[in-house]
Amino acid sequence: MSGLTRDILKWLQSLDLTTQIRNPKWDFSNGYLVAEIFSWYYPQEIQMHSFYNGESLAQKNKNWYLLKNFILRNSFDIKMEDVDGTIHCREGAAVQLVESMYEILTNKRVKKILPEIETDYTDFAYQQRLPMHARSTASKAVKNNLRLTEILADQNIITSTAKPDWFAQRTILKAQKIINDHIDHRRQERIEDPKRFGIKPSLGDRCVRRADLSQKLFSEPSHLTVTSDLQSELETESMKEETITREPSIQFKEIDVKQMDKSTFYQLPVQSY
């Protein structure tokens, strides 16, 4: 029951299902419990005598074929990736499917913390936590992310080029997609840590590039908003770089000042009180 919230557990217990849910990863795989949940809300469209509670791949395909048609007919917002992950017992897919069903059938929202990395039902998040020397190779990535049941359910999984469809099995090139994703991840690792892979920088990478003065002014935020102010700042910066060697062109005119004769002050008579 790990992964399901308390509200969803109460909701599942209120439906009085025929099978007790112990592990959603395995209990919802054959689609029987999914059909039983839908039958409580759509008894005219989902009839349980059409579904079988078996574990074989053939029984899974029959049950999910009816469920896919029902989901398409009612235009439910259920992702195809969640359905495929539930069929092939991928970690977290059944929980995500039950949460979508809960929101659709009860018109309530599930309170949960959004993950930092989008769930794609691969081991990419686990590989990122490993040291670089311990990460999987291309063949190991295919083995980890491609289940045997997916190959048995879709015989044309390697050769067919048809688009994925709800009514038929997904005949997408899954193995090729896993290899392409692995190559992209390795390319990103080489960019992030070039010394580990012995990548030598080229002559162009080692060159020091100095930004132009006009590009620097436009790239950095400035308080100037007028074109004339920007032009004056450009001229000021260019004048700072040049050395001034010429003499000033301003000429000064000499002014003659007539000073007062101070000897007349000493010839005045002294008055007594």
Side-chain angles (χ1 to χ4, degrees), residues 176-192:
Q176 187 63 42
K177 181 180 182 301
I178 293 171
I179 294 174
N180 292 339
D181 292 341
H182 176 77
I183 293 173
D184 293 338
H185 298 159
R186 296 290 289 181
R187 186 181 295 112
Q188 186 64 28
E189 291 174 1
R190 293 171 69 88
I191 295 174
E192 294 176 355

Side-chain angles (χ1 to χ4, degrees), residues 158-269:
I158 304 299
T159 58
S160 179
T161 58
K163 295 181 179 180
D165 187 46
W166 275 87
F167 297 96
Q169 295 297 331
R170 298 204 327 171
T171 53
I172 192 173
L173 302 177
K174 293 184 180 180
Q176 187 63 42
K177 181 180 182 301
I178 293 171
I179 294 174
N180 292 339
D181 292 341
H182 176 77
I183 293 173
D184 293 338
H185 298 159
R186 296 290 289 181
R187 186 181 295 112
Q188 186 64 28
E189 291 174 1
R190 293 171 69 88
I191 295 174
E192 294 176 355
D193 192 2
K195 292 183 179 180
R196 175 178 177 82
F197 295 93
I199 301 175
K200 297 182 180 179
S202 61
L203 182 61
D205 296 334
R206 288 181 288 178
C207 291
V208 179
R209 293 176 174 82
R210 299 179 61 183
D212 188 28
L213 181 61
S214 60
Q215 295 179 359
K216 182 179 179 182
L217 290 176
F218 280 111
S219 61
E220 297 179 355
S222 177
H223 64 281
L224 301 176
T225 55
V226 186
T227 308
S228 60
D229 295 340
L230 181 60
Q231 185 66 24
S232 63
E233 185 174 341
L234 288 173
E235 294 176 356
T236 305
E237 293 291 337
S238 60
M239 289 175 63
K240 288 181 181 179
E241 296 179 358
E242 298 178 357
T243 305
I244 301 177
T245 56
R246 55 181 183 151
E247 298 180 357
S249 59
I250 302 175
Q251 298 180 0
F252 300 93
K253 184 179 179 180
E254 187 177 357
I255 300 175
D256 296 331
V257 180
K258 295 181 180 181
Q259 296 184 0
M260 185 177 178
D261 189 7
K262 298 181 179 180
S263 61
T264 57
F265 288 98
Y266 301 102
Q267 297 176 2
L268 294 175

